[in-house]
Amino acid sequence: MPLTLTNLHHAFGPRRILNGLTLDIPSGEILCLLGPSGDGKTTLLRLVAGLEPIQQGCITLEGRVLAEPGRDVPPEDRQVGFVFQDYALFPHLTVAENVAFGLSRLPRAERESRAAEALQRVRLWEKRAAWPHQLSGGQQQRVALARALAPRPRALLLDEAFASLDARLREQVRDDTLHVLQETGIPALIVTHDAEEAMFMADRIALMREGCVEQLGTPEDLYLRPASPFVARFLGEVNELPAMVQGGVAQTALGALPARLPDGPARVLLRPEGLRLLPPGTAGYPAAEVEACRLLGATTMAHMALPDGAGDVLHVHARLPPGVRLSRGDMVCLAADPERAFVFPQLPDHRADDALALAS
């Protein structure tokens, strides 16, 4: 049975944080809450955990009501595990004692057994007698995960659980955590503002904006079929091109692209990997000048200047295979992959919605 959040509204004074949010997380699914800071992600976790009283809506777990107006099950009775951003380990307790901390209602033998089981699951049994300050950041995170799993919760919440780790360690700990979550078979709700992390961890992503879900779907849905410019920008870098739609075709500096829009001005958001380089002089394709080309490890990023046909220059980025070598001043021709190009209406006020995505 799933974790179900129905029509949640929440405010702090005059500021509305959640605006009618509804989500259904089946058993075994990992759902990532992605979005800018301040858009209600952590507040949502606190409502599910019982750390914040519900104001409007309903939260159920396996058909049992955890919270509704006038009724809040205490956190210790919800069977919901929580991994905090700062891990919240007790410095005066050993690793084993930290993991067993939430099991005080159980007999001592069962407490020790549960703690041992949880530590073995995160591969830290050999550190059971260590103190938190003797552990690395990644080990502390795994202890926090073991502590959340030891009571055998029916749902698990993680709030920016990898944010304090350096990039290399974060990749390894995320991978370890993903395997553990998949083994538990319980619904997991993960808060992050890192799009790459969400795409790596999630079965589905709920991209939030101003307390609502802007788009809900698989990582592939959001990355390849964004519902709005905000979604396209938040899931990764894009090149922006002005366009004019006429008869179902968007005319751009890169040529014509299909567009299911009424005639009129539009904008095209193109992923860097959707920009293909062709030999200079290739007939029918616009020419661009290379401004820089940098190897980024698994890929190469090329920066190019593309005349827009109206006297201005567009600066575009292409993500290429690592073996590509280009020098500043080289000329190339460019083509756009329609599968990586998203055409949206050009709104008069630009709505400033994409600034939110870029700032996050």
Side-chain angles (χ1 to χ4, degrees):
M1 294 289 287
L3 172 64
T4 301
L5 319 176
T6 306
N7 194 32
L8 295 182
H9 292 260
H10 205 79
F12 295 115
R15 184 180 175 218
R16 300 203 62 80
I17 303 298
L18 299 175
N19 294 289
L21 186 141
T22 294
L23 288 172
D24 191 12
I25 306 99
S27 296
E29 180 178 81
I30 301 172
L31 177 69
C32 275
L33 295 171
L34 177 66
S37 299
D39 271 15
K41 301 183 300 297
T42 295
T43 298
L44 183 60
L45 289 198
R46 291 176 61 83
L47 288 170
V48 176
L51 302 177
E52 192 76 39
I54 197 168
Q55 295 175 358
Q56 184 178 335
C58 183
I59 300 171
T60 64
L61 177 59
E62 299 183 344
R64 175 189 175 214
V65 175
L66 298 184
E68 59 186 4
R71 178 183 180 187
D72 270 296
V73 175
E76 62 272 18
D77 294 329
R78 293 197 175 198
Q79 294 186 287
V80 173
F82 202 136
V83 180
F84 296 89
Q85 181 175 352
D86 61 0
Y87 313 143
L89 300 180
F90 298 109
H92 62 290
L93 300 180
T94 66
V95 165
E97 290 168 342
N98 264 283
V99 174
F101 183 79
L103 306 175
S104 58
R105 299 181 182 182
L106 300 178
R108 179 177 178 179
E110 188 169 356
R111 285 202 307 272
E112 293 176 351
S113 174
R114 292 272 195 99
E117 174 188 302
L119 283 171
Q120 287 166 351
R121 174 170 273 176
V122 299
R123 296 182 290 111
L124 280 178
W125 172 241
E126 73 282 358
K127 297 289 187 179
R128 61 191 180 277
W131 303 99
H133 72 272
Q134 296 175 314
L135 305 179
S136 67
Q139 289 171 331
Q140 290 183 35
Q141 193 275 345
R142 285 153 57 197
V143 172
L145 178 60
R147 183 176 60 187
L149 292 172
R152 297 176 185 169
R154 308 306 302 163
L156 190 63
L157 314 174
L158 295 90
D159 185 15
E160 299 278 10
F162 316 105
S164 62
L165 304 176
D166 64 64
R168 185 66 59 85
L169 181 57
R170 184 161 59 244
E171 291 178 6
Q172 180 60 55
V173 175
R174 282 193 314 213
D175 188 58
D176 292 342
T177 303
L178 177 62
H179 290 300
V180 171
L181 294 179
Q182 289 174 331
E183 289 170 1
T184 65
I186 60 177
L189 199 53
I190 300 176
V191 159
T192 180
H193 64 269
D194 184 329
E196 181 179 324
E197 180 171 293
M199 288 190 284
F200 176 79
M201 296 292 295
D203 297 308
R204 288 189 302 158
I205 296 172
L207 179 56
M208 295 182 63
R209 180 182 174 210
E210 297 178 356
C212 299
V213 175
E214 181 86 357
Q215 186 172 350
L216 173 65
T218 65
E220 292 80 6
D221 286 336
L222 273 68
Y223 191 80
L224 299 177
R225 293 173 287 279
S228 68
F230 177 82
V231 177
R233 287 183 178 279
F234 209 98
L235 267 289
E237 183 184 356
V238 291
N239 297 298
E240 183 168 349
L241 307 170
M244 182 62 70
V245 176
Q246 187 170 12
V249 176
Q251 298 293 341
T252 77
L254 289 172
L257 292 167
R260 296 181 179 178
L261 292 176
D263 291 357
R267 52 177 161 164
V268 173
L269 304 184
L270 175 67
R271 299 276 183 220
E273 68 270 20
L275 194 56
R276 294 187 291 116
L277 271 61
L278 304 173
T282 301
Y285 294 93
E289 181 179 351
V290 176
E291 296 179 309
C293 187
R294 299 289 186 265
L295 178 66
L296 303 180
T299 62
T300 293
M301 183 66 81
H303 301 232
M304 289 158 294
L306 171 69
D308 69 351
D312 290 326
V313 174
L314 302 173
H315 296 277
V316 295
H317 295 172
R319 194 175 296 275
L320 309 168
V324 175
R325 294 185 180 180
L326 296 169
S327 299
R328 185 175 182 180
D330 286 350
M331 298 301 295
V332 296
C333 286
L334 301 178
D337 179 358
E339 295 296 318
R340 297 292 190 275
F342 318 116
V343 187
F344 296 101
Q346 179 68 56
L347 300 178
D349 61 358
H350 232 78
R351 287 186 60 188
D353 60 352
D354 301 313
L356 288 172
L358 291 173
S360 299

